[in-house]
Amino acid sequence: MNPEDLDALAEYSSPLVRGSEAVITITRPDLESNSYLSQLFALSGESSRRLTHNWRDYAPEIRSSWSGYLSAAKKEAGQLFVGSTLETAHRITDNHLGVSEFALDDEGARGLYVARVAEPGRYGQDEDIPASEEAPRRITSAAYLSNGLGYTNDRPARAFIVDLVEPGLGKSGIAGGAEVPLSTLLKTPESDVHDPQFSPSGNRVSVVAALAPDHGEPDLRSTVWLLGGDHPEALQLPRMSVHLHRWVDDETVLLVGNELVRDELDFVAQMPGLFVHDTTAGTTRRLSDPETVAITSIRPQIVGHGIDGSVLDDASVIAVVDADGASRIVSIDLTAENVGFDELTFLTDETTVVNGFDLDGDTVVFTAQTPSNGAVLAQAGITTSRDAHANADASRPAAATLREHPAPANSVLPQVLRVDGEGGPITGWLAKPTGEGPFPVILNIHGGPFAQYTHGWFDETQVLTSAGYAVVYANPRGSGGRTREWGTAVQGNMAAPAMADVLAVLERALAGDPQLDSSRLGVQGGSYGGYLTAMITAADHRFQAAIVERGYLDPDSFVGTSDIGRFFTEEYTTRDRQAIDRQSPLAHASQVRTPSLVMHSELDFRCPLEQAQQYYAALQRAGVDTELLIFPGENHELSRAGQPRHRRQRFEAMLDWWDQHLGGNVDADLDDPTTSANS
């Protein structure tokens, strides 16, 4: 893959079953318009139909009587479109800052949605008041910024109800007209709300929000709030941070979230769990084991409803778990308690990375990435845990691929590496260019730290291998996808354990493959990966060059400048002065000898720009060959969701830096199909 091949990529997401069709969102970066195109498509057999035609159509929801999705014109905020079908949906909101999420009450013919409400005179509401002339912001909270958004307190996220039934009068719903149905602002808690939901009967209307208002002390607790009355009512849950919820019935709600065991800031390597809360009894039960099972933020679904919609005694929850390089669909009994990873019933394999699913009778339809393809629609049979125990010797049938977007022709298939490390076995990968070596080698390090590289097709790896560079990457201690003990291994010691692990994987790759050139080594990483890159080059001088991207580089200034800085730094590096200095890349910058490209985004509020500026200045002071590359208008998500032209320019800058200092293998055969991911 070359940088200009970004246009050829696509992402499949948000699958829904509609009769004999699967409806998915297909999203593509478009270099010409420097934006993203996304529309809804219906796929059945070999046929494909485009259902929507706006610039960005996404997040579909299909009910028996009503269907909806979010839609946006080019470079504008999304609005809610609803109709009897996706094809007949029309715009029913005109919120100034757009709609972010919604849910539909099919029987009650209502929509519940979340939109930000700006203070008067801000964010372009008054054409006579440009941003530079807005009133000053008075801030008393601990959190007031959000990466990719900016200030939040003066545009809180609120919940609205809108009726879907139209009386047939006026101009509402007429193409070309400006009128939309009247929305009602609900009474919500003071904090931002998200994840709007109706119970199956429509009698419960709920959102997720912070448990208490932010008056200056960081607090990660959140809960489900019931709306629609004179005042919002909070469910009394254990001390936890709720990510998602789904009503099982009007008295029972399924939750995905983190249990904050020690106190309200106990977030490091917490394994997101699956919980069931009984609103009548006020009890909460955890279905998944807190030490070994991490539920992803993909809304779970229930298998086992009676004809009347009631939940049967043998009902199961279908959810997705992170699993050491994969995201796998699993089945868990609704009556379970603390089910461990080894007890899970898996519906997908060890290498597929699922990003969404829907149920269709006894099958699950899902979108995913695989090692050879970045966009796949597939289906698998549903096996409940009871079925699995009854047929212990039966093997799980392989998933059937229904549709896939072709990967670039010169894609390579990485080799999985299993390496014994100081803290246990490490999962890593080696991706090599086609043709004959020896190839220069780049050690790539992921962010987080509680995140993971996956087996899925990865554009960054493919760009580097196409340019003649071998790539080594791994999930060291501190990563997600394993156990909580693996994730907390870097708490209070952010560099040493992970550094030892990524270097162990690199050394195994070099020792085991004569096509790798150990005299031409580079190291790069973003966010926490930028942090670890900087710590490695301060301690290990074998690398000919480095790229430090959007790095966490000064724990001290991170506190108070990052949108998560205060509690993140104090929980990971502690408050001890000597411990912080020992873990600070800025404090070790004088020891660096490796030529280093420092890349950062101008509007990064997660790892603010000053992190890069300070580190760049410290490298200059140390006499290191260094450059600072700043992307205007971008935030912490540049590599994943930045402007397509900037994503291409980022790749070009990386390749230019590596060509200067390592020199790719110009003899690599980019057209050799023998190692193509499509072969």
Side-chain angles (χ1 to χ4, degrees):
M1 174 184 168
N2 298 317
E4 58 270 22
D5 290 334
L6 274 169
D7 261 350
L9 303 183
E11 178 189 17
Y12 292 176
S13 63
S14 58
L16 294 173
V17 175
R18 187 176 72 167
S20 62
E21 299 177 320
V23 174
I24 64 171
T25 304
I26 300 181
T27 303
R28 297 178 293 116
D30 182 60
L31 290 169
E32 181 180 1
S33 64
N34 197 30
S35 62
Y36 290 85
L37 302 172
S38 63
Q39 289 82 38
L40 308 183
F41 288 78
L43 308 179
S44 178
E46 298 298 320
S47 68
S48 173
R49 296 188 299 115
R50 186 194 299 263
L51 303 180
T52 62
H53 298 82
N54 212 337
W55 201 263
R56 280 199 313 125
D57 301 317
Y58 56 104
E61 182 169 337
I62 299 174
R63 301 297 185 193
S64 298
S65 301
W66 298 96
S67 297
Y69 58 92
L70 298 181
S71 182
K74 184 179 178 181
K75 297 190 177 181
E76 292 186 4
Q79 301 291 346
L80 178 56
F81 282 53
V82 176
S84 58
T85 66
L86 293 172
E87 292 90 332
T88 61
H90 59 275
R91 184 168 63 90
I92 66 168
T93 64
D94 61 356
N95 294 72
H96 179 66
L97 297 179
V99 174
S100 58
E101 301 173 88
F102 74 97
L104 299 178
D105 172 17
D106 204 47
E107 293 296 323
R110 298 177 298 167
L112 173 67
Y113 68 88
V114 172
R116 290 194 173 272
V117 180
E119 289 181 357
R122 295 196 189 277
Y123 302 107
Q125 292 183 100
D126 188 334
E127 294 180 356
D128 295 329
I129 305 178
S132 60
E133 296 179 14
E134 290 182 4
R137 291 175 170 87
R138 183 180 182 184
I139 296 169
T140 59
S141 57
Y144 53 89
L145 282 174
S146 179
N147 181 68
L149 180 64
Y151 292 103
T152 56
N153 292 357
D154 53 11
R155 46 176 164 177
R158 295 291 179 248
F160 295 79
I161 283 279
V162 59
D163 288 331
L164 306 181
V165 175
E166 299 173 3
L169 303 175
K171 301 174 185 176
S172 174
I174 302 299
E179 291 187 17
V180 298
L182 180 66
S183 293
T184 301
L185 176 64
L186 299 178
K187 292 182 179 180
T188 63
E190 292 183 28
S191 308
D192 283 353
V193 305
H194 69 97
D195 195 34
Q197 293 291 304
F198 289 104
S199 65
S201 70
N203 292 331
R204 299 277 200 177
V205 178
S206 55
V207 294
V208 173
L211 181 62
D214 181 347
H215 294 311
E217 284 297 324
D219 189 338
L220 299 180
R221 291 175 299 169
S222 61
T223 188
V224 174
W225 291 81
L226 306 180
L227 308 182
D230 293 336
H231 303 282
E233 178 187 347
L235 294 188
Q236 299 304 307
L237 303 177
R239 186 167 54 207
M240 63 184 298
S241 173
V242 179
H243 302 164
L244 298 171
H245 72 300
R246 174 185 287 276
W247 290 94
V248 178
D249 52 39
D250 277 10
E251 285 74 42
T252 313
V253 61
L254 195 63
L255 309 168
V256 175
N258 284 336
E259 199 167 5
L260 307 174
V261 179
R262 186 198 66 217
D263 56 32
E264 66 275 7
L265 296 178
D266 184 20
F267 80 96
V268 173
Q270 284 289 356
M271 308 287 277
L274 194 61
F275 300 80
V276 171
H277 178 75
D278 185 324
T279 61
T280 302
T283 58
T284 307
R285 171 171 44 86
R286 183 166 186 152
L287 279 66
S288 56
D289 176 47
E291 300 298 323
T292 62
V293 178
I295 306 292
T296 69
S297 288
I298 297 174
R299 197 178 312 283
Q301 297 193 41
I302 305 292
V303 174
H305 284 91
I307 297 176
D308 60 353
S310 62
V311 179
L312 302 178
D313 291 339
D314 60 351
S316 295
V317 181
I318 307 299
V320 179
V321 301
D322 280 334
D324 198 15
S327 293
R328 305 180 64 183
I329 301 177
V330 299
S331 172
I332 301 175
D333 272 356
L334 191 58
T335 57
E337 189 163 355
N338 293 334
V339 174
F341 185 85
D342 293 336
E343 302 171 273
L344 294 173
T345 301
F346 293 97
L347 308 185
T348 56
D349 63 28
E350 297 87 350
T351 61
T352 299
V353 186
V354 174
N355 63 29
F357 72 91
D358 195 20
L359 305 183
D360 182 21
D362 58 358
T363 63
V364 56
V365 176
F366 60 92
T367 50
Q369 292 181 328
T370 66
S372 60
N373 204 293
V376 169
L377 174 69
Q379 69 178 19
I382 295 177
T383 303
T384 67
S385 57
R386 286 181 172 84
D387 294 335
H389 292 314
N391 301 279
D393 297 330
S395 60
R396 172 179 44 79
T401 299
L402 303 177
R403 190 66 58 93
E404 58 185 3
H405 186 82
N410 56 343
S411 296
V412 301
L413 194 63
Q415 169 192 351
V416 179
L417 303 174
R418 307 289 186 187
V419 179
D420 290 332
E422 297 172 2
I426 312 158
T427 298
W429 293 264
L430 166 63
K432 293 191 300 182
T434 57
E436 295 298 321
F439 304 114
V441 182
I442 296 169
L443 174 63
N444 206 357
I445 306 173
H446 70 65
F450 196 57
Q452 63 167 343
Y453 276 131
T454 72
H455 297 282
W457 191 95
F458 184 27
D459 60 354
E460 193 165 296
T461 295
Q462 302 298 336
V463 166
L464 291 170
T465 55
S466 291
Y469 298 96
V471 185
V472 174
Y473 49 110
N475 289 329
R477 279 171 287 175
S479 300
R482 296 281 288 274
T483 63
R484 184 160 195 237
E485 181 181 10
W486 187 264
T488 57
V490 297
Q491 189 172 20
N493 189 8
M494 284 189 74
M499 183 189 306
D501 286 358
V502 296
L503 293 177
V505 174
L506 174 64
E507 287 157 4
R508 167 65 67 83
L510 294 174
D513 196 320
Q515 288 190 312
L516 305 184
D517 187 348
S518 60
S519 68
R520 290 187 292 167
L521 299 179
V523 57
Q524 69 176 44
S527 195
Y528 173 76
Y531 165 87
L532 201 58
T533 296
M535 293 296 283
I536 285 174
T537 56
D540 190 327
H541 304 303
R542 77 177 94 174
F543 296 93
Q544 279 66 56
I547 297 178
V548 176
E549 185 177 11
R550 63 183 186 278
Y552 170 71
L553 302 169
D554 179 23
D556 283 316
S557 64
F558 200 78
V559 175
T561 60
S562 169
D563 64 348
I564 60 166
R566 183 170 168 187
F567 66 84
F568 180 90
T569 285
E570 292 172 352
E571 287 295 312
Y572 264 110
T573 65
T574 76
R575 298 186 183 187
D576 180 78
R577 179 73 263 158
Q578 291 183 335
I580 293 171
D581 289 344
R582 190 167 58 249
Q583 298 171 81
S584 168
L586 190 64
H588 293 82
S590 62
Q591 302 166 26
V592 175
R593 300 291 178 266
T594 305
S596 300
L597 172 63
V598 182
M599 295 203 304
H600 222 94
S601 293
E602 189 176 51
L603 301 181
D604 190 336
F605 296 142
R606 185 61 41 83
C607 294
L609 178 59
E610 57 84 20
Q611 296 278 300
Q613 292 170 317
Q614 289 193 83
Y615 186 68
Y616 170 66
L619 293 181
Q620 285 184 318
R621 189 180 302 117
V624 175
D625 175 10
T626 184
E627 295 180 16
L628 177 62
L629 186 67
I630 300 174
F631 287 86
E634 298 292 355
N635 60 62
H636 199 67
E637 298 301 308
L638 165 62
S639 66
R640 296 174 281 262
Q643 298 172 55
R645 290 178 195 163
H646 279 161
R647 288 179 61 187
R648 180 187 64 189
Q649 291 163 348
R650 171 182 174 269
F651 281 145
E652 291 170 344
M654 290 168 54
L655 295 180
D656 179 65
W657 184 256
W658 295 129
D659 288 347
Q660 287 183 50
H661 295 279
L662 299 182
N665 182 4
V666 296
D667 296 324
D669 184 359
L670 303 185
D671 296 319
D672 183 352
T674 58
T675 54
S676 167
N678 293 324
S679 60

